[in-house]
DNA sequence: GTCTATAATTGGATAGAC
DNA sequence: GTCTATCCAATTATAGAC
Protein backbone atom coordinates (compact mmCIF):
# COMPACT_ATOMS: atom_id res chain seq x y z
CA UNK A 1 0.00 0.00 0.00
CA UNK A 2 1.27 3.42 -0.92
CA UNK A 3 2.06 5.54 2.07
CA UNK A 4 0.35 8.97 2.07
CA UNK A 5 3.69 10.72 2.49
CA UNK A 6 4.64 9.43 -0.90
CA UNK A 7 8.12 9.04 -2.21
CA UNK A 8 8.90 12.49 -3.45
CA UNK A 9 12.41 13.45 -2.43
CA UNK A 10 12.99 16.08 -5.04
CA UNK A 11 13.44 18.99 -2.64
CA UNK A 12 15.96 17.40 -0.35
CA UNK A 13 19.20 18.96 0.82
CA UNK A 14 22.60 17.79 -0.31
CA UNK A 15 23.74 17.18 3.25
CA UNK A 16 20.71 15.04 3.90
CA UNK A 17 21.15 12.85 0.87
CA UNK A 18 24.89 12.36 0.98
CA UNK A 19 25.07 8.58 1.03
CA UNK A 20 28.50 8.31 2.60
CA UNK A 21 27.40 9.81 5.93
CA UNK A 22 25.74 7.77 8.66
CA UNK A 23 22.04 8.42 9.05
CA UNK A 24 22.46 9.97 12.49
CA UNK A 25 24.81 12.57 11.05
CA UNK A 26 22.51 13.28 8.11
CA UNK A 27 19.65 13.83 10.54
CA UNK A 28 21.68 16.40 12.47
CA UNK A 29 22.63 18.32 9.33
CA UNK A 30 19.18 18.32 7.84
CA UNK A 31 17.50 19.18 11.13
CA UNK A 32 19.86 22.07 11.84
CA UNK A 33 19.01 23.56 8.47
CA UNK A 34 15.29 23.23 9.02
CA UNK A 35 15.50 24.63 12.55
CA UNK A 36 17.37 27.63 11.15
CA UNK A 37 14.96 28.36 8.33
CA UNK A 38 11.61 27.31 9.77
CA UNK A 39 12.22 27.47 13.51
CA UNK A 40 12.40 24.62 15.99
CA UNK A 41 8.73 24.28 16.88
CA UNK A 42 7.51 24.75 13.34
CA UNK A 43 9.79 22.02 12.03
CA UNK A 44 8.08 18.65 12.20
CA UNK A 45 9.73 15.29 12.53
CA UNK A 46 8.04 14.34 9.27
CA UNK A 47 9.84 17.14 7.46
CA UNK A 48 13.18 16.11 8.91
CA UNK A 49 12.60 12.50 7.97
CA UNK A 50 11.47 13.39 4.46
CA UNK A 51 14.57 15.51 3.89
CA UNK A 52 16.79 12.70 5.13
CA UNK A 53 14.95 10.21 2.96
CA UNK A 54 13.47 7.98 5.64
CA UNK A 55 10.08 7.61 7.31
CA UNK A 56 9.16 9.65 10.35
CA UNK A 57 9.28 6.85 12.94
CA UNK A 58 12.75 5.81 11.77
CA UNK A 59 14.12 9.01 13.30
CA UNK A 60 13.42 7.60 16.73
CA UNK A 61 15.87 4.81 16.23
CA UNK A 62 18.66 7.43 16.17
CA UNK A 63 17.32 9.97 18.66
CA UNK A 64 14.91 9.38 21.53
CA UNK A 65 13.04 12.61 20.78
CA UNK A 66 12.99 15.75 18.69
CA UNK A 67 14.38 17.58 21.71
CA UNK A 68 17.39 15.30 21.75
CA UNK A 69 18.29 16.34 18.20
CA UNK A 70 18.42 19.98 19.20
CA UNK A 71 20.29 19.16 22.40
CA UNK A 72 22.94 17.35 20.40
CA UNK A 73 23.35 20.41 18.18
CA UNK A 74 23.58 22.71 21.19
CA UNK A 75 26.30 20.56 22.69
CA UNK A 76 28.25 20.52 19.46
CA UNK A 77 28.45 24.29 19.59
CA UNK A 78 28.67 25.14 23.29
CA UNK A 79 31.14 22.42 24.24
CA UNK A 80 33.60 24.14 21.91
CA UNK A 81 32.66 27.79 22.36
CA UNK A 82 32.47 27.96 26.16
CA UNK A 83 36.00 26.66 26.90
CA UNK A 84 37.39 28.87 24.14
CA UNK A 85 35.74 31.99 25.53
CA UNK A 86 36.59 31.23 29.13
CA UNK A 87 40.24 30.68 28.26
CA UNK A 88 40.35 34.04 26.49
CA UNK A 89 38.55 35.79 29.34
CA UNK A 90 41.22 34.58 31.75
CA UNK A 91 44.17 35.10 29.38
CA UNK A 92 46.89 37.73 29.40
CA UNK A 93 47.00 40.44 26.77
CA UNK A 94 44.93 43.42 25.75
CA UNK A 95 41.16 43.18 25.69
CA UNK A 96 41.16 44.20 22.03
CA UNK A 97 43.33 41.29 20.97
CA UNK A 98 41.38 38.85 23.09
CA UNK A 99 38.05 40.05 21.70
CA UNK A 100 39.40 39.80 18.17
CA UNK A 101 40.52 36.24 18.85
CA UNK A 102 37.18 35.29 20.36
CA UNK A 103 35.30 36.72 17.39
CA UNK A 104 37.63 35.02 14.93
CA UNK A 105 37.16 31.66 16.62
CA UNK A 106 33.41 32.04 16.87
CA UNK A 107 32.88 33.22 13.32
CA UNK A 108 35.12 30.50 11.95
CA UNK A 109 33.34 27.87 13.98
CA UNK A 110 29.91 29.04 12.89
CA UNK A 111 30.98 29.30 9.27
CA UNK A 112 32.78 25.97 9.14
CA UNK A 113 30.33 23.88 11.11
CA UNK A 114 28.54 21.21 9.10
CA UNK A 115 25.42 22.31 10.97
CA UNK A 116 23.47 25.50 10.58
CA UNK A 117 23.68 26.73 14.16
CA UNK A 118 21.69 29.91 13.76
CA UNK A 119 18.39 28.28 14.70
CA UNK A 120 19.63 27.26 18.14
CA UNK A 121 19.81 30.56 19.96
CA UNK A 122 16.36 31.91 19.31
CA UNK A 123 13.95 32.93 22.04
CA UNK A 124 11.63 30.05 21.25
CA UNK A 125 14.43 27.63 22.07
CA UNK A 126 16.23 29.45 24.87
CA UNK A 127 13.06 30.04 26.87
CA UNK A 128 11.94 26.45 26.60
CA UNK A 129 12.46 24.74 29.99
CA UNK A 130 13.58 21.61 28.15
CA UNK A 131 16.81 23.37 27.24
CA UNK A 132 17.53 24.99 30.58
CA UNK A 133 20.88 23.19 31.07
CA UNK A 134 22.15 24.62 27.80
CA UNK A 135 20.89 28.04 28.71
CA UNK A 136 23.05 27.85 31.81
CA UNK A 137 26.06 26.80 29.76
CA UNK A 138 25.44 29.68 27.45
CA UNK A 139 25.29 32.05 30.41
CA UNK A 140 28.91 31.12 31.12
CA UNK A 141 29.79 32.02 27.54
CA UNK A 142 28.07 35.37 27.96
CA UNK A 143 29.85 36.02 31.23
CA UNK A 144 33.22 35.33 29.62
CA UNK A 145 32.54 37.70 26.73
CA UNK A 146 31.36 40.38 29.13
CA UNK A 147 34.54 40.02 31.17
CA UNK A 148 36.61 40.74 28.07
CA UNK A 149 34.38 43.70 27.21
CA UNK A 150 34.61 45.08 30.76
CA UNK A 151 38.42 44.79 30.65
CA UNK A 152 38.43 46.83 27.46
CA UNK A 153 36.19 49.51 28.91
CA UNK A 154 38.37 49.72 32.03
CA UNK A 155 41.55 50.05 29.98
CA UNK A 156 40.02 52.70 27.74
CA UNK A 157 40.17 50.55 24.61
CA UNK A 158 36.40 50.09 24.21
CA UNK A 159 33.55 52.56 24.20
CA UNK A 160 31.82 52.81 27.55
CA UNK A 161 28.49 51.07 27.07
CA UNK A 162 26.70 48.46 29.18
CA UNK A 163 28.56 45.24 28.42
CA UNK A 164 25.39 43.13 28.37
CA UNK A 165 23.96 45.31 25.61
CA UNK A 166 27.14 45.18 23.56
CA UNK A 167 27.36 41.43 24.00
CA UNK A 168 23.75 41.12 22.87
CA UNK A 169 24.50 43.27 19.83
CA UNK A 170 27.50 41.13 18.93
CA UNK A 171 25.40 37.98 19.21
CA UNK A 172 22.81 39.57 16.96
CA UNK A 173 25.32 40.37 14.25
CA UNK A 174 26.97 36.97 14.30
CA UNK A 175 23.77 34.94 14.26
CA UNK A 176 22.13 37.08 11.63
CA UNK A 177 24.99 37.40 9.16
CA UNK A 178 26.20 33.84 9.47
CA UNK A 179 22.76 32.32 9.01
CA UNK A 180 23.33 32.74 5.33
CA UNK A 181 26.66 31.01 5.38
CA UNK A 182 26.70 28.38 8.10
CA UNK A 183 25.96 24.72 7.54
CA UNK A 184 26.85 25.02 3.89
CA UNK A 185 30.35 23.65 3.96
CA UNK A 186 31.84 26.42 1.90
CA UNK A 187 35.04 26.46 3.86
CA UNK A 188 33.80 29.63 5.48
CA UNK A 189 35.26 32.20 3.08
CA UNK A 190 38.01 33.66 5.32
CA UNK A 191 37.74 37.10 3.73
CA UNK A 192 34.08 37.30 4.59
CA UNK A 193 34.69 36.18 8.16
CA UNK A 194 37.36 38.81 8.65
CA UNK A 195 35.00 41.50 7.38
CA UNK A 196 32.38 40.58 9.97
CA UNK A 197 34.96 40.55 12.75
CA UNK A 198 36.25 43.95 11.67
CA UNK A 199 32.74 45.37 11.56
CA UNK A 200 32.17 44.35 15.16
CA UNK A 201 35.60 45.54 16.32
CA UNK A 202 35.09 48.98 14.76
CA UNK A 203 31.82 49.32 16.65
CA UNK A 204 33.46 48.85 20.04
CA UNK A 205 36.95 50.32 19.54
CA UNK A 206 37.46 53.89 20.64
CA UNK A 207 40.35 54.14 18.17
CA UNK A 208 39.57 51.96 15.13
CA UNK A 209 42.87 52.89 13.51
CA UNK A 210 44.40 50.35 15.86
CA UNK A 211 42.51 47.58 14.08
CA UNK A 212 45.29 46.42 11.68
CA UNK A 213 47.75 46.23 14.56
CA UNK A 214 45.23 44.32 16.71
CA UNK A 215 44.61 41.91 13.87
CA UNK A 216 48.33 41.28 13.49
CA UNK A 217 48.74 40.58 17.19
CA UNK A 218 45.68 38.35 17.31
CA UNK A 219 46.97 36.22 14.50
CA UNK A 220 50.42 35.90 16.01
CA UNK A 221 50.97 33.27 18.75
CA UNK A 222 47.60 31.70 18.12
CA UNK A 223 47.27 29.75 21.36
CA UNK B 1 -18.25 22.24 35.83
CA UNK B 2 -14.77 23.64 36.26
CA UNK B 3 -13.04 24.22 32.97
CA UNK B 4 -9.67 22.44 32.65
CA UNK B 5 -7.94 25.69 31.74
CA UNK B 6 -8.79 26.97 35.21
CA UNK B 7 -8.92 30.54 36.30
CA UNK B 8 -5.34 31.21 37.23
CA UNK B 9 -4.28 34.58 35.94
CA UNK B 10 -1.40 35.15 38.31
CA UNK B 11 1.32 35.26 35.64
CA UNK B 12 -0.38 37.66 33.32
CA UNK B 13 1.18 40.75 31.76
CA UNK B 14 0.27 44.27 32.74
CA UNK B 15 -0.63 45.18 29.19
CA UNK B 16 -2.96 42.23 28.97
CA UNK B 17 -4.82 43.01 32.14
CA UNK B 18 -5.12 46.76 31.75
CA UNK B 19 -8.88 47.18 31.99
CA UNK B 20 -9.07 50.51 30.17
CA UNK B 21 -7.92 49.09 26.83
CA UNK B 22 -10.27 47.38 24.40
CA UNK B 23 -9.87 43.61 24.26
CA UNK B 24 -8.60 43.67 20.70
CA UNK B 25 -5.74 45.94 21.74
CA UNK B 26 -4.92 43.83 24.78
CA UNK B 27 -4.75 40.76 22.54
CA UNK B 28 -2.25 42.48 20.28
CA UNK B 29 -0.02 43.54 23.15
CA UNK B 30 -0.10 40.21 24.92
CA UNK B 31 0.39 38.23 21.71
CA UNK B 32 3.34 40.34 20.60
CA UNK B 33 5.05 39.67 23.91
CA UNK B 34 4.45 35.95 23.68
CA UNK B 35 5.57 35.81 20.04
CA UNK B 36 8.77 37.58 21.06
CA UNK B 37 9.58 35.35 24.00
CA UNK B 38 8.25 31.98 22.93
CA UNK B 39 8.13 32.30 19.16
CA UNK B 40 5.11 32.47 16.88
CA UNK B 41 4.50 28.78 16.30
CA UNK B 42 5.20 27.79 19.89
CA UNK B 43 2.68 30.32 21.19
CA UNK B 44 -0.79 28.81 21.43
CA UNK B 45 -4.05 30.66 21.18
CA UNK B 46 -4.87 29.25 24.60
CA UNK B 47 -1.82 30.98 26.09
CA UNK B 48 -2.75 34.27 24.48
CA UNK B 49 -6.30 34.02 25.73
CA UNK B 50 -5.20 33.08 29.26
CA UNK B 51 -2.84 36.07 29.41
CA UNK B 52 -5.61 38.39 28.23
CA UNK B 53 -8.00 36.87 30.72
CA UNK B 54 -10.54 35.37 28.33
CA UNK B 55 -11.26 31.90 26.97
CA UNK B 56 -9.55 30.63 23.86
CA UNK B 57 -12.56 30.73 21.49
CA UNK B 58 -13.25 34.35 22.47
CA UNK B 59 -10.11 35.37 20.59
CA UNK B 60 -11.82 34.52 17.35
CA UNK B 61 -14.40 37.17 17.87
CA UNK B 62 -11.64 39.78 17.51
CA UNK B 63 -9.41 38.09 14.94
CA UNK B 64 -10.36 35.50 12.32
CA UNK B 65 -7.20 33.49 12.98
CA UNK B 66 -3.90 33.41 14.82
CA UNK B 67 -2.25 34.44 11.56
CA UNK B 68 -4.34 37.58 11.47
CA UNK B 69 -2.98 38.68 14.84
CA UNK B 70 0.57 38.50 13.56
CA UNK B 71 -0.39 40.18 10.29
CA UNK B 72 -1.88 43.10 12.21
CA UNK B 73 1.37 43.47 14.15
CA UNK B 74 3.43 43.32 10.95
CA UNK B 75 1.31 46.05 9.41
CA UNK B 76 1.65 48.26 12.48
CA UNK B 77 5.40 48.20 12.04
CA UNK B 78 5.96 48.09 8.30
CA UNK B 79 3.33 50.66 7.36
CA UNK B 80 5.37 53.16 9.35
CA UNK B 81 8.91 51.94 8.69
CA UNK B 82 8.75 51.48 4.91
CA UNK B 83 7.59 55.01 4.00
CA UNK B 84 10.12 56.46 6.45
CA UNK B 85 13.01 54.52 4.97
CA UNK B 86 12.00 55.15 1.38
CA UNK B 87 11.75 58.87 2.01
CA UNK B 88 15.24 58.90 3.49
CA UNK B 89 16.64 56.78 0.67
CA UNK B 90 15.40 59.34 -1.86
CA UNK B 91 16.28 62.42 0.23
CA UNK B 92 19.05 64.95 -0.20
CA UNK B 93 21.98 65.10 2.18
CA UNK B 94 24.90 62.92 3.14
CA UNK B 95 24.45 59.19 3.51
CA UNK B 96 25.76 59.40 7.08
CA UNK B 97 23.09 61.83 8.18
CA UNK B 98 20.37 59.87 6.41
CA UNK B 99 21.48 56.57 7.96
CA UNK B 100 21.60 58.21 11.38
CA UNK B 101 18.07 59.49 10.89
CA UNK B 102 16.80 56.14 9.74
CA UNK B 103 18.35 54.37 12.72
CA UNK B 104 17.01 56.98 15.11
CA UNK B 105 13.49 56.61 13.72
CA UNK B 106 13.63 52.85 13.74
CA UNK B 107 15.07 52.50 17.21
CA UNK B 108 12.60 55.01 18.62
CA UNK B 109 9.70 53.26 16.93
CA UNK B 110 10.77 49.84 18.20
CA UNK B 111 11.38 51.15 21.69
CA UNK B 112 8.18 53.18 21.94
CA UNK B 113 5.82 50.72 20.34
CA UNK B 114 3.21 49.26 22.68
CA UNK B 115 3.96 45.94 21.00
CA UNK B 116 7.06 43.83 21.31
CA UNK B 117 8.01 43.71 17.66
CA UNK B 118 11.08 41.54 17.95
CA UNK B 119 9.19 38.31 17.40
CA UNK B 120 7.97 39.34 13.96
CA UNK B 121 11.12 39.18 11.89
CA UNK B 122 12.33 35.71 12.71
CA UNK B 123 13.00 33.07 10.10
CA UNK B 124 10.06 30.97 11.30
CA UNK B 125 7.74 33.86 10.44
CA UNK B 126 9.42 35.33 7.38
CA UNK B 127 9.68 31.97 5.60
CA UNK B 128 6.06 31.10 6.22
CA UNK B 129 4.10 31.47 2.95
CA UNK B 130 1.20 32.92 4.92
CA UNK B 131 3.20 36.10 5.45
CA UNK B 132 4.59 36.47 1.95
CA UNK B 133 2.94 39.88 1.33
CA UNK B 134 4.71 41.30 4.36
CA UNK B 135 7.97 39.76 3.31
CA UNK B 136 7.63 41.68 0.05
CA UNK B 137 6.94 44.90 1.92
CA UNK B 138 9.95 44.27 4.05
CA UNK B 139 12.07 43.75 0.96
CA UNK B 140 11.28 47.35 0.03
CA UNK B 141 12.53 48.43 3.45
CA UNK B 142 15.73 46.48 2.90
CA UNK B 143 16.22 47.97 -0.53
CA UNK B 144 15.84 51.48 0.85
CA UNK B 145 18.42 50.87 3.59
CA UNK B 146 20.81 49.34 1.08
CA UNK B 147 20.46 52.38 -1.17
CA UNK B 148 21.57 54.63 1.69
CA UNK B 149 24.44 52.28 2.50
CA UNK B 150 25.54 52.15 -1.15
CA UNK B 151 25.49 55.97 -1.31
CA UNK B 152 27.77 56.08 1.70
CA UNK B 153 30.19 53.58 0.22
CA UNK B 154 30.29 55.52 -3.06
CA UNK B 155 30.96 58.81 -1.30
CA UNK B 156 33.68 57.28 0.84
CA UNK B 157 31.81 57.80 4.10
CA UNK B 158 31.16 54.10 4.84
CA UNK B 159 33.45 51.09 4.89
CA UNK B 160 33.34 49.13 1.68
CA UNK B 161 31.46 45.94 2.55
CA UNK B 162 28.58 44.18 0.79
CA UNK B 163 25.55 46.29 1.65
CA UNK B 164 23.27 43.29 2.12
CA UNK B 165 25.58 41.93 4.81
CA UNK B 166 25.80 45.25 6.60
CA UNK B 167 22.05 45.68 6.43
CA UNK B 168 21.61 42.19 7.86
CA UNK B 169 24.05 43.03 10.65
CA UNK B 170 22.15 46.22 11.47
CA UNK B 171 18.89 44.30 11.61
CA UNK B 172 20.50 41.79 13.93
CA UNK B 173 21.67 44.45 16.35
CA UNK B 174 18.37 46.30 16.43
CA UNK B 175 16.17 43.25 16.88
CA UNK B 176 18.41 41.67 19.48
CA UNK B 177 19.09 44.70 21.66
CA UNK B 178 15.59 46.09 21.52
CA UNK B 179 13.92 42.80 22.38
CA UNK B 180 14.66 43.61 25.97
CA UNK B 181 13.16 47.05 25.77
CA UNK B 182 10.32 47.07 23.28
CA UNK B 183 6.70 46.58 24.18
CA UNK B 184 7.34 47.70 27.71
CA UNK B 185 6.13 51.25 27.53
CA UNK B 186 9.16 52.71 29.21
CA UNK B 187 9.22 55.77 27.03
CA UNK B 188 12.16 54.24 25.26
CA UNK B 189 15.01 55.70 27.30
CA UNK B 190 16.44 58.16 24.73
CA UNK B 191 19.98 57.79 26.07
CA UNK B 192 19.90 54.07 25.49
CA UNK B 193 18.52 54.49 21.98
CA UNK B 194 21.26 56.94 21.08
CA UNK B 195 23.90 54.51 22.33
CA UNK B 196 22.61 51.78 20.03
CA UNK B 197 22.52 54.14 17.06
CA UNK B 198 26.06 55.28 17.79
CA UNK B 199 27.27 51.70 18.05
CA UNK B 200 25.94 50.95 14.59
CA UNK B 201 27.24 54.19 13.09
CA UNK B 202 30.75 53.58 14.41
CA UNK B 203 30.74 50.16 12.77
CA UNK B 204 30.10 51.58 9.31
CA UNK B 205 31.81 54.99 9.43
CA UNK B 206 35.30 55.20 8.01
CA UNK B 207 35.92 58.24 10.21
CA UNK B 208 33.94 57.83 13.46
CA UNK B 209 35.20 61.15 14.76
CA UNK B 210 32.56 62.67 12.48
CA UNK B 211 29.84 61.11 14.62
CA UNK B 212 29.05 64.11 16.87
CA UNK B 213 28.75 66.35 13.82
CA UNK B 214 26.55 63.82 12.04
CA UNK B 215 24.33 63.57 15.08
CA UNK B 216 23.96 67.35 15.23
CA UNK B 217 22.99 67.52 11.56
CA UNK B 218 20.59 64.60 11.86
CA UNK B 219 18.77 66.25 14.72
CA UNK B 220 18.53 69.59 12.96
CA UNK B 221 15.74 70.10 10.41
CA UNK B 222 14.02 66.90 11.39
CA UNK B 223 11.80 66.44 8.35
C1' DG C 1 17.66 0.02 10.66
C1' DT C 2 13.64 0.89 8.36
C1' DC C 3 9.04 0.05 7.71
C1' DT C 4 3.45 0.21 8.54
C1' DA C 5 0.05 1.11 11.67
C1' DT C 6 -1.56 3.51 15.36
C1' DA C 7 -1.77 5.48 20.00
C1' DA C 8 -1.98 9.76 22.75
C1' DT C 9 -1.94 14.50 22.85
C1' DT C 10 -2.42 19.03 21.47
C1' DG C 11 -3.38 22.52 18.16
C1' DG C 12 -6.53 26.03 15.65
C1' DA C 13 -11.06 26.85 14.69
C1' DT C 14 -16.51 26.44 14.78
C1' DA C 15 -21.45 26.10 16.73
C1' DG C 16 -24.57 27.89 19.32
C1' DA C 17 -26.28 29.29 24.14
C1' DC C 18 -26.40 33.34 27.01
C1' DG D 1 -18.64 39.77 23.55
C1' DT D 2 -17.76 35.83 26.20
C1' DC D 3 -18.81 31.38 27.33
C1' DT D 4 -19.05 25.76 27.03
C1' DA D 5 -18.63 22.00 24.21
C1' DT D 6 -16.63 19.97 20.47
C1' DC D 7 -14.65 19.00 15.82
C1' DC D 8 -10.88 17.94 12.94
C1' DA D 9 -6.21 18.03 11.61
C1' DA D 10 -1.57 17.57 12.79
C1' DT D 11 2.00 16.28 15.94
C1' DT D 12 5.27 13.36 18.71
C1' DA D 13 6.10 8.98 19.93
C1' DT D 14 5.39 3.73 20.41
C1' DA D 15 4.56 -1.29 18.93
C1' DG D 16 5.91 -4.75 16.44
C1' DA D 17 6.75 -6.93 11.67
C1' DC D 18 10.48 -7.53 8.39
Amino acid sequence: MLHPEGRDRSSVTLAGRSPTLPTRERILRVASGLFATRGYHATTTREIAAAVGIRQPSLFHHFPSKEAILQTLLSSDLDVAVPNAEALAAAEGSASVRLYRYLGQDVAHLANSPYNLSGLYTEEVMRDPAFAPWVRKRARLHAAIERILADGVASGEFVDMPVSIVREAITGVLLRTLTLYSGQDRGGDPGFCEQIVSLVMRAVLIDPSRLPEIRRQAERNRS
Side-chain angles (χ1 to χ4, degrees), chain A:
Chain A
M1 178 194 177
L2 189 66
H3 192 282
E5 282 172 28
R7 295 268 172 191
D8 180 20
R9 289 164 193 178
S10 54
S11 64
V12 129
T13 71
L14 282 172
R17 289 192 67 72
S18 173
T20 60
L21 288 171
T23 304
R24 185 189 152 89
E25 187 58 28
R26 289 192 292 149
I27 292 170
L28 288 171
R29 297 189 180 200
V30 157
S32 77
L34 288 168
F35 293 160
T37 54
R38 303 180 44 80
Y40 170 69
H41 287 100
T43 299
T44 69
T45 54
R46 280 180 171 77
E47 287 176 308
I48 299 171
V52 170
I54 58 178
R55 301 292 181 189
Q56 182 257 357
S58 305
L59 283 181
F60 293 86
H61 176 76
H62 302 275
F63 294 93
S65 66
K66 181 182 162 185
E67 261 180 43
I69 299 177
L70 193 97
Q71 287 168 341
T72 304
L73 292 168
L74 282 167
S75 285
S76 88
D77 187 39
L78 290 175
D79 289 344
V80 174
V82 172
N84 275 350
E86 290 190 332
L88 282 169
E92 300 291 309
S94 80
S96 303
V97 172
R98 287 183 289 145
L99 181 61
Y100 194 101
R101 280 193 178 140
Y102 163 72
L103 292 170
Q105 283 175 358
D106 207 39
V107 165
H109 182 241
L110 285 170
N112 291 315
S113 170
Y115 313 127
N116 188 330
L117 300 168
S118 60
L120 307 186
Y121 304 112
T122 59
E123 294 290 309
E124 66 161 335
V125 169
M126 292 289 108
R127 302 243 184 179
D128 189 322
F131 306 111
W134 285 266
V135 174
R136 282 193 292 275
K137 241 186 199 170
R138 194 170 185 235
R140 289 172 47 201
L141 179 66
H142 288 172
I145 298 169
E146 291 180 16
R147 254 174 285 151
I148 300 175
L149 290 172
D151 288 350
V153 172
S155 69
E157 294 167 87
F158 297 162
V159 293
D160 190 3
M161 280 182 61
V163 289
S164 64
I165 302 291
V166 175
R167 192 254 309 143
E168 207 61 66
I170 291 173
T171 304
V173 171
L174 298 188
L175 285 179
R176 195 104 196 162
T177 58
L178 290 163
T179 303
L180 319 156
Y181 295 86
S182 81
Q184 291 179 21
D185 249 336
R186 65 170 61 200
D189 182 359
F192 171 76
C193 290
E194 191 180 289
Q195 281 188 316
I196 298 292
V197 172
S198 298
L199 189 82
V200 172
M201 290 300 298
R202 265 198 308 274
V204 300
L205 280 175
I206 285 190
D207 178 9
S209 71
R210 289 180 55 225
L211 188 50
E213 169 218 328
I214 291 165
R215 181 181 304 126
R216 228 178 301 118
Q217 281 190 48
E219 272 155 14
R220 193 165 39 198
N221 308 334
R222 266 252 158 71
S223 57

